[in-house]
């Protein structure tokens, strides 16, 4: 079977929400010659969900990898008339992480991924790690003028030497981790999670959410977690369905929706 769907999940989510399972090993997502085959499996799953009348299909995990299919944009561009909504769930993942940060009064972060725009508007100084000056300037121009001073372009991990809050938006090696100061905390916004190399630092788990205790009769599609707990990106798909949102959530995160999605969740 190309797609592994648990019958119980189909029973619960049919015509409402469907999590996507692709029968591939994690490492194969990083093999260039496997890219087309994986995308073909995802595409067929989306078309199947569309035919079944499913409202929302959640990509999640590595199925939404930017280098694989642009966070789902590939399928939306190919099939612009899809009735099923394709959702990567990254907006809620971002919501979980930024709420962890803002409630602890963090005033500076080292960031190697998305959500720089959101944090700078909260007056958090963002050391934005990117080798592309063009990408940084594009994001800088999108920030309101009064908050642009909170965005700082850095190109080397050494810039994190005094920053104790690191948001990891792409995989980093143990060598790259060593530049963080003692006592730094790594917030994970990346799949697969980074290796916890530093004994003198702490590492967050991948963002997850728990169903309210009064909710009964629902299982979980997360075999690595206890019942009723799912990764935030999967929860994002459920919220998308429950709210009746009709847009696709693919590609780059719309930072204007982070608070909206968080409050809805």
């Amino acid at each position: 079977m190309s797609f592994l769907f648990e019958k119980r999940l189909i029973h619960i989510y049919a015509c409402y929400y469907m999590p996507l399972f692709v029968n591939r090993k994690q490492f194969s997502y990083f093999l260039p010659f496997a890219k087309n085959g994986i995308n073909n499996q995802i595409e067929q799953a989306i078309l199947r969900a569309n035919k079944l009348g499913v409202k929302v299909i959640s990509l999640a995990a590595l199925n939404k990898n930017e280098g694989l299919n642009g966070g789902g944009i590939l399928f939306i561009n190919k099939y612009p008339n899809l009735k099923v909504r394709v959702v990567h769930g990254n907006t809620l993942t971002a919501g979980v992480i930024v709420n962890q940060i803002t409630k602890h009064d963090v005033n500076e972060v080292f960031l190697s991924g998305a959500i720089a725009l959101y944090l700078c508007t909260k007056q958090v100084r963002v050391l934005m790690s990117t080798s592309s000056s063009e990408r940084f300037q594009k994001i800088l121009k999108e920030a309101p003028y009064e908050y642009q001073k909170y965005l700082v372009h850095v190109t080397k991990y050494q810039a994190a030497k005094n920053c104790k809050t690191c948001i990891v938006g792409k995989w980093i090696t143990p060598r790259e981790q060593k530049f963080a100061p003692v006592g730094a905390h790594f917030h994970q916004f990346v799949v697969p999670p980074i290796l916890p190399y530093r004994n003198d630092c702490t590492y967050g788990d991948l963002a997850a959410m728990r169903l309210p205790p009064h909710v009964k009769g629902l299982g979980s599609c997360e075999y690595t977690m206890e019942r009723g707990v799912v990764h935030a990106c999967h929860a994002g798909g459920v919220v998308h369905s429950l709210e009746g949102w009709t847009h696709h959530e693919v590609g780059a995160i719309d930072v204007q929706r982070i608070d909206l999605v968080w409050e809805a969740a």
Side-chain angles (χ1 to χ4, degrees):
M1 292 289 290
S2 297
F3 313 105
L4 303 180
F5 294 107
E6 188 177 344
K7 290 182 179 178
R8 183 187 53 179
L9 288 173
I10 288 291
H11 175 71
I12 292 172
Y13 294 124
C15 299
Y16 296 100
Y17 162 77
M18 182 184 290
L20 175 62
F21 297 89
V22 175
N23 188 20
R24 290 297 184 102
K25 297 293 187 183
Q26 192 175 80
F27 70 85
S28 66
Y29 283 81
F30 301 98
L31 301 176
F33 60 81
K35 179 178 178 178
N36 290 338
I38 294 173
N39 277 331
N40 182 61
Q41 288 193 347
I42 297 171
E43 179 180 319
Q44 294 306 312
I46 291 172
L47 294 177
R48 180 186 178 193
N50 195 61
K51 185 177 180 179
L52 287 171
V54 172
K55 300 298 183 185
V56 173
I57 184 166
S58 175
L59 297 178
L62 289 170
N63 297 318
K64 60 184 178 180
N65 185 276
E66 176 70 24
L68 183 68
N69 51 49
I73 288 180
L74 173 69
F75 312 112
I76 302 308
N77 289 343
K78 189 172 182 179
Y79 300 100
N81 297 319
L82 285 172
K83 293 182 179 179
V84 64
R85 303 294 95 177
V86 180
V87 174
H88 56 41
N90 288 345
T91 310
L92 185 52
T93 301
V96 173
I97 292 174
V98 299
N99 275 275
Q100 288 177 339
I101 291 170
T102 54
K103 74 180 182 181
H104 288 105
D105 297 323
V106 172
N107 55 27
E108 182 179 66
V109 302
F110 179 85
L111 191 152
S112 59
I115 68 178
L117 273 174
Y118 178 94
L119 288 172
C120 79
T121 62
K122 302 298 181 183
Q123 301 182 38
V124 175
R125 187 169 183 262
V126 178
L127 305 179
M128 184 178 170
S129 175
T130 176
S131 59
S132 172
S133 296
E134 182 180 349
R135 178 173 180 244
F136 176 77
Q137 288 300 324
K138 180 177 182 295
I139 291 176
L140 183 66
K141 290 177 181 178
E142 291 181 31
Y145 177 76
E146 64 269 29
Y147 298 116
Q148 290 182 1
K149 61 185 179 182
Y150 294 102
L151 282 173
V152 180
H153 183 203
V154 300
T155 58
K156 298 182 182 297
Y157 285 91
Q158 288 91 325
K161 63 181 181 179
N162 296 316
C163 187
K164 292 199 172 185
T165 301
C166 300
I167 302 176
V168 182
K170 62 181 181 180
W171 212 82
I172 59 174
T173 65
R175 181 179 178 276
E176 291 164 335
Q177 293 178 39
K178 75 177 185 178
F179 294 111
V182 173
H185 181 77
F186 291 90
H187 292 271
Q188 305 250 24
F189 195 10
V190 59
V191 178
I194 62 174
L195 300 174
Y197 170 73
R198 297 276 300 272
N199 293 325
D200 55 356
C201 294
T202 54
Y203 295 78
D205 293 324
L206 295 179
M209 301 196 79
R210 184 186 301 277
L211 283 167
H214 64 272
V215 175
K216 304 296 181 184
L218 290 181
S220 167
C221 62
E222 307 288 355
Y223 66 91
T224 58
M225 298 182 179
E226 61 187 277
R227 185 174 296 277
V229 178
V230 296
H231 285 114
C233 53
H234 275 146
V238 176
V239 170
H240 202 100
S241 177
L242 292 174
E243 291 294 310
W245 291 330
T246 58
H247 65 283
H248 297 289
E249 185 193 336
V250 294
I253 293 173
D254 181 355
V255 295
Q256 302 298 322
R257 294 188 62 85
I258 291 178
D259 289 336
L260 174 66
V261 173
W262 169 255
E263 292 299 327

